[in-house]
Amino acid sequence: MSSLALLPSGVIFPLYIYPSDNCAGWAPLVSSISTHRTLQFTIIVDPASGPGSADSQPDTNYQACIAQLRSTGAANGDNVRILGYVATGHGSRTVSAVLTDIGTYNGWSAAYRPDGIFFDEAATDPSFLSNYQSFTTTVRNEFGPNSYIVLNPGAVPDTGYFSIAHLVVSFEGFYSDFSASSIPISSATPANKQAAIIHDGPTNVNLTTVRTLTRTVGVGASFLTDFPNAVAYENYPTDWTTYLNDLVSTQA
Ligand SMILES: *[C@@H]1O[C@H](CO)[C@@H](O)[C@H](O)[C@H]1NC(C)=O
């Protein structure tokens, strides 16, 4: 156990890597959680572009390895939060299908039940806000008041979306398109409620980029990978440990 304070700017990891037997696929992440105890790891699990069929449990590898992520976080000062992936089709997916996915995650046994939900392909337009309000209210009702909610429009949404989530991914895209101005800061859109997910970066992490994320902007969380868009979340970034070290050093 640790009383180390978590740094304000953490990591959001779309962990679309299969855990495999003995959690071999997640071993680098488990190791990073232990070696970077001051970083909050917000980890998105996604067994089947969602939780799988209605009322199903994940396979035994997911069961064991989510439990391992959780126990690793608990042993390191509580620096792990696990979210279940739910697609929302930019507002086009039916409300009932989204609610079914939320309920399926909530039905997972306690040892591997997520701490909240990551809504992918979130809408940006205010016309869909009421749908997302019902999604996030359902998460709070089912997972409890301490549950955690992330919306991923991948672009800056209407400000109404900021009031219904803990974190909004307001940039998901190419490294060449990212700059400090990708994250607009205002009282309705505070930096610490925003995240940036950046792919197609340089093989070697650029300290200036990390400093922009943590110091210039102060995002709540980020992910930075050199892998190209199509496989960005199915691999560990080549320079993963440098990125984590830079997140820590730029917040010293
Ligand atoms: C790092 O990024 C900064 C700002 O974009 C740029 O000026 C610099 O050349 C980059 N450094 C390397 C080694 O690529």
Side-chain angles (χ1 to χ4, degrees), residues 175 206 208-209:
Y175 179 84
N206 183 327
T208 303
T209 305

Side-chain angles (χ1 to χ4, degrees), residues 151-170:
L151 299 177
N152 179 25
V156 182
D158 178 76
T159 54
Y161 289 94
F162 285 82
S163 63
I164 62 169
H166 297 92
L167 195 65
V168 172
V169 181
S170 49

Side-chain angles (χ1 to χ4, degrees), residues 175 178 202 204-209 212:
Y175 179 84
F178 178 78
N204 296 309
V205 167
N206 183 327
L207 179 64
T208 303
T209 305
T212 298

